[in-house]
Amino acid sequence: MTAEYFQRDRRWHPPALTPDYKTSVARSPSLPLLSIENSLSEITGPTFSHAALGGLDNDLILNFTGEPAIGERTVVHGRVTDETGRPVKGALLEVWQANAGGRYRHVKDGYLAPLDPNFGGCGRCLTDEDGFYVFRTVKPGAYPFRNYSNSWRMAHIHFSIFGAGLTQRLITQMYFEGDPLRDQDPIAQTIPDPAALDRLVAPLDLNASVPLDSLAYRFDIVLRGRRQTVFENKLEGA
Amino acid sequence: MPLEYPKETPAQTAGPFVHIGAMPRIAGFTCFDVELGQQIAGPDVPGERIVIEGQILDGTGTPCRDTMVEVWQADDQGRYAHPEDPRGAEVADGFTGFGRAHTDFDTGLFRFETIKPGIVPGRHGRDQAPHVSFWIVARGINIGLHTRMYFPEDNTSTDPVLSMIEQPHRRDTLIAERTADGQYRFDIRLQGDRETVFLDV
């Protein structure tokens, strides 16, 4: 199948310039994007195999030292599908997050909350044949950032997703149901439509929790869909 | 009721600490046995060896020093290492076509060691000039920015993407500068004077 992907709806995504998120002001292109039709360069993209992944890569509770991290033990799971509802199998998901106190293990994070000696905050996995994925982690804490003098991020997990082609490449953030910082967070609020932001808020999933062990949240991801090739579109050339 | 499809998951910025998930070594620790995107073309892959360096400049002309840059390219025969390329199975062992780099915390420079890609088939039988696809994410960038790098020594006058750029002088923002044999400089200007052409793919 070498069909084109559906056009991205750029009114659904955050625009480049969102002045309440101050860093965007000098980092947003001022001229319009050049829309191009898909060619082989866009419908292809990096692919990954299990051979590159380690056994604990999707277990953030244990994958830093082998000793358990401190915090609210949490399973994050869901399904990756496209805009036609088909599962995206073999998609690479990478996640990164702060620890339970809102501190990142990064040379550039100077927040006063301490590091957890047993928490790295990175994970990755591939979706299975039906598009499902699962991570285990501790729930990240909220943290302040330099925007307005009292700006705070909602608790979140960063997600990077490689679908089947460059067109589906996506980085986003997952939030947790019920977070009171939602309406204050200038980054979450870069998304114009509240219904779109709802899609980043993972509901509690008690049925997927592990009794006496871990709570669970469900986060489903939708990547761009693609046309059926009933009529020829000569995407690859003559 | 209008016909509805499930909507794509909305994007969010990668933030300042993207390295933790993508390149933990840069964040200051190890987490994974293999970090992805560290080899675009292994030593046995045929093709002209090249180095691409550059900076990402913000609207004030300041280099961004917290950016992740990904590249995707074809091999020297214009084949992508992907099952949907009709010749995808023919690429050499060790050719991934995928690279990932960060901009240095001090200098803001990114660097890729790779091979020069070949001509890639385009739509309706129109060849595309050799190019490398770039994807840029960082703090302050709400949705990843796509662009392309072309090479100054090639005939780019008939390239179908470059030809679509309405203002001729803006095409130059996608053409790298050759600084020495096999060395290319490609600066990306996010905003303002000589702003790079970004693509909605």
Side-chain angles (χ1 to χ4, degrees), chain A residues 1 9 12 41 122 164 175, chain B residues 7-8 12 31 34 80 82 84:
Chain A
M1 182 169 81
D9 183 352
W12 176 255
S41 302
C122 54
Y175 304 110
Chain B
K7 301 287 284 182
E8 188 185 11
Q12 291 271 262
C31 183
V34 177
Y80 284 104
H82 189 274
E84 290 185 56

Side-chain angles (χ1 to χ4, degrees), chain A residues 1-2 4 6 8-10 12-16 18 21 23-31 33-48 52 57 63-64 83 92 94-96 104-109 120-124 158 160 162 164 166-167 169-173 175 187-188 190-191 196 199-200 221-222 224 226 233-238, chain B residues 5-22 24 26-37 58-60 63-68 70 72 78 80-86 98 100 105 120-126 128 131 133 135 137-146 148 161 164-165 170 190-192 195 197-201:
Chain A
M1 182 169 81
T2 52
E4 299 169 298
F6 302 158
R8 180 167 264 166
D9 183 352
R10 295 206 175 248
W12 176 255
H13 288 279
T18 49
Y21 174 30
T23 313
S24 76
V25 175
R27 292 187 172 193
S28 45
S30 57
L31 292 165
L33 304 180
L34 178 71
S35 292
I36 62 172
E37 289 83 40
N38 290 172
S39 73
L40 212 47
S41 302
E42 287 78 34
I43 66 157
T44 61
T47 55
F48 304 95
D57 279 6
N63 73 9
F64 190 54
E83 290 169 297
L92 176 76
E94 298 165 302
V95 296
W96 65 101
Y104 283 97
R105 184 172 293 280
H106 192 289
V107 288
K108 296 290 182 189
D109 188 2
C122 54
R124 58 190 188 182
H158 295 269
S160 155
F162 289 86
L166 210 56
T167 46
R169 188 80 181 87
L170 185 71
I171 281 185
T172 188
Q173 301 182 26
Y175 304 110
I187 291 179
T190 61
I191 298 176
R199 292 277 305 282
L200 300 185
I221 294 166
V222 177
R224 286 164 71 183
R226 61 198 309 189
N233 59 4
K234 292 187 179 170
L235 187 148
E236 279 171 41
Chain B
Y5 285 82
K7 301 287 284 182
E8 188 185 11
T9 298
Q12 291 271 262
T13 178
F17 304 130
V18 59
H19 318 95
I20 294 172
I26 304 304
F29 67 103
T30 55
C31 183
F32 305 130
D33 293 337
V34 177
E35 289 195 10
L36 304 171
D58 73 12
T60 73
C64 300
R65 294 168 299 154
D66 52 9
T67 307
M68 182 170 80
E70 290 182 353
W72 173 244
Y80 284 104
H82 189 274
E84 290 185 56
D85 185 317
F98 171 59
R100 198 175 232 185
F105 291 148
V120 175
R123 295 167 66 95
H124 307 292
R126 272 182 83 183
Q128 308 187 71
H131 63 275
S133 295
W135 195 67
V137 291
R139 180 172 69 101
I141 296 177
N142 289 326
I143 180 164
L145 292 168
H146 289 274
R148 285 183 174 194
V161 169
M164 260 196 302
I165 300 171
R170 295 203 72 214
L190 296 178
Q191 186 189 86
E195 180 175 308
V197 173
F198 295 102
L199 304 174
D200 177 19
V201 307

